[in-house]
Amino acid sequence: MLSKKTKYGLKALAYLASVGDKEPVQIAEIAKHENISQKFLESILLTLRRNGFLGSKKGKGGGYYLIKEPKDILMTSVMRVLEGPIAMVPCVSLNFYEKCDDCPDENECSVHKLMLQVRDSALEVYRNNTLADLIS
Amino acid sequence: MLSKKTKYGLKALAYLASVGDKEPVQIAEIAKHENISQKFLESILLTLRRNGFLGSKKGKGGGYYLIKEPKDILMTSVMRVLEGPIAMVPCVSLNFYEKCDDCPDENECSVHKLMLQVRDSALEVYRNNTLADLIS
DNA sequence: CAATTAATCTACTAAAACGATAGGATAAAA
DNA sequence: TTTTATCCTATCGTTTTAGTAGATTAATTG
């Protein structure tokens, strides 16, 4: 399942992209427009800022804004920051690899074999979608 | 993330398929061979049996066995029974559809648009893999 | 029949993840 | 210096996950 965190984060990014100009948009406005708990959204936008997707401005007229062009924001990177690994098992993850403690040999593992394919197919989708693609 | 339940269930099915003959295999043997907690595996095999994947026999010489040919067991059905929906959000699920309570219009939703593609790509993988494919 | 074997079933539990919420600190603008 | 809005830390209730315990039922075997 996609977490609410990722879902809301994507929606917020899409909203910022759809607004278009680089004027800061307040959390409250995003939360209201997307029907999201404002406090929860706060923490999500914070992690998006810390990971280089958003800029922010404090005080009156402040808010969040996209740092890059929507067409330059790949879904692979957004998903990895918000949701974590794209792979369904750590042993097929490119960025979060971990060995299974059961499973003596990955190459013999049926789950490994299947999940490799699933990862690749998901990766292809995320690589072919930028934020710009989501709002068109 | 893939749950341990699904992972272990898949491994158990693969093991039963690899054994080949239709002789019952005991839980203990599967658990030992796949490094799985036997008690946990018990409940997993039970749901696989209840959902028509396995047959069972009690008493000495008993155990679990595949009911169908490995080549006739599609990953779509296994995944749906063990893991639940293949889609990452209920609003794009074929078998477990649910409307989002935020989101007034699905067709305008950026998350919906992305997750439709992810679901389709995952479905293609699961539809193209039978249990027989996993053990070859 | 009785003993053994192995699946079946119910109930419970510890730990982690999830989805928030509370409240104060900080910085910018008016 | 007041207002505005982000920043930050901590906490919290609920659900899910992964697993355990223990008794029951059914089949085989001696």
Side-chain angles (χ1 to χ4, degrees):
Chain A
M1 277 285 284
L2 196 75
S3 66
K4 301 270 182 190
K5 181 181 172 189
T6 303
K7 188 184 179 189
Y8 295 163
L10 280 171
K11 282 194 165 194
L13 286 173
Y15 181 69
L16 288 174
S18 74
V19 163
D21 52 350
K22 289 286 180 290
E23 287 299 290
V25 179
Q26 295 163 26
I27 297 176
E29 181 183 333
I30 306 174
K32 195 176 173 190
H33 190 270
E34 300 295 335
N35 300 308
I36 304 172
S37 144
Q38 176 167 342
K39 269 294 187 182
F40 191 24
L41 183 59
E42 245 184 69
S43 65
I44 298 169
L45 295 180
L46 216 43
T47 78
L48 284 174
R49 197 214 53 178
R50 288 182 178 137
N51 284 278
F53 294 99
L54 299 178
S56 65
K57 206 183 150 193
K58 285 185 177 181
K60 185 157 193 179
Y64 283 97
Y65 51 90
L66 290 177
I67 276 186
K68 294 185 285 188
E69 291 295 314
K71 69 172 172 52
D72 296 324
I73 302 179
L74 271 170
M75 284 306 108
T76 39
S77 54
V78 178
M79 287 299 291
R80 284 190 177 119
V81 162
L82 291 176
E83 190 74 4
I86 287 167
M88 293 186 79
V89 279
C91 71
V92 299
S93 175
L94 295 175
N95 290 250
F96 302 81
Y97 175 83
E98 247 177 85
K99 196 182 172 309
C100 300
D101 13 328
D102 57 311
C103 211
D105 182 5
E106 283 179 3
N107 302 319
E108 293 297 314
C109 177
S110 53
V111 176
H112 186 84
K113 197 179 293 185
L114 181 65
M115 290 303 141
L116 259 181
Q117 298 176 54
V118 174
R119 181 207 69 188
D120 283 339
S121 75
L123 266 183
E124 205 191 320
V125 171
Y126 293 135
R127 282 181 176 147
N128 285 325
N129 275 279
T130 68
L131 188 54
D133 296 314
L134 295 196
I135 61 170
S136 59
Chain B
M1 279 286 283
L2 195 75
S3 66
K4 301 272 184 192
K5 181 181 172 189
T6 304
K7 189 185 179 190
Y8 296 163
L10 280 170
K11 283 194 164 194
L13 286 173
Y15 181 69
L16 288 174
S18 74
V19 164
D21 52 350
K22 289 286 179 292
E23 287 299 288
V25 179
Q26 295 163 27
I27 297 176
E29 181 183 335
I30 306 175
K32 195 178 174 191
H33 190 272
E34 301 295 336
N35 300 307
I36 304 172
S37 145
Q38 174 167 344
K39 270 294 189 182
F40 190 24
L41 183 59
E42 251 184 61
S43 66
I44 298 169
L45 295 180
L46 218 42
T47 77
L48 284 173
R49 197 214 52 176
R50 288 182 179 136
N51 284 277
F53 293 99
L54 299 178
S56 66
K57 204 184 152 193
K58 286 187 176 178
K60 186 158 194 181
Y64 283 97
Y65 51 90
L66 290 177
I67 277 187
K68 293 185 286 188
E69 291 296 314
K71 69 172 172 49
D72 294 325
I73 301 179
L74 271 170
M75 285 305 111
T76 39
S77 54
V78 177
M79 288 298 292
R80 284 189 177 119
V81 161
L82 292 176
E83 189 75 4
I86 287 167
M88 294 186 77
V89 279
C91 72
V92 300
S93 175
L94 295 176
N95 290 251
F96 301 81
Y97 176 83
E98 248 176 84
K99 197 183 171 307
C100 301
D101 15 326
D102 57 311
C103 209
D105 182 6
E106 284 179 4
N107 302 318
E108 293 297 313
C109 177
S110 52
V111 176
H112 185 85
K113 197 180 293 183
L114 181 65
M115 289 304 138
L116 258 181
Q117 297 176 55
V118 175
R119 181 207 66 187
D120 283 339
S121 76
L123 266 183
E124 206 191 321
V125 171
Y126 293 135
R127 283 182 176 147
N128 286 326
N129 276 280
T130 68
L131 188 53
D133 296 314
L134 295 196
I135 60 171
S136 60

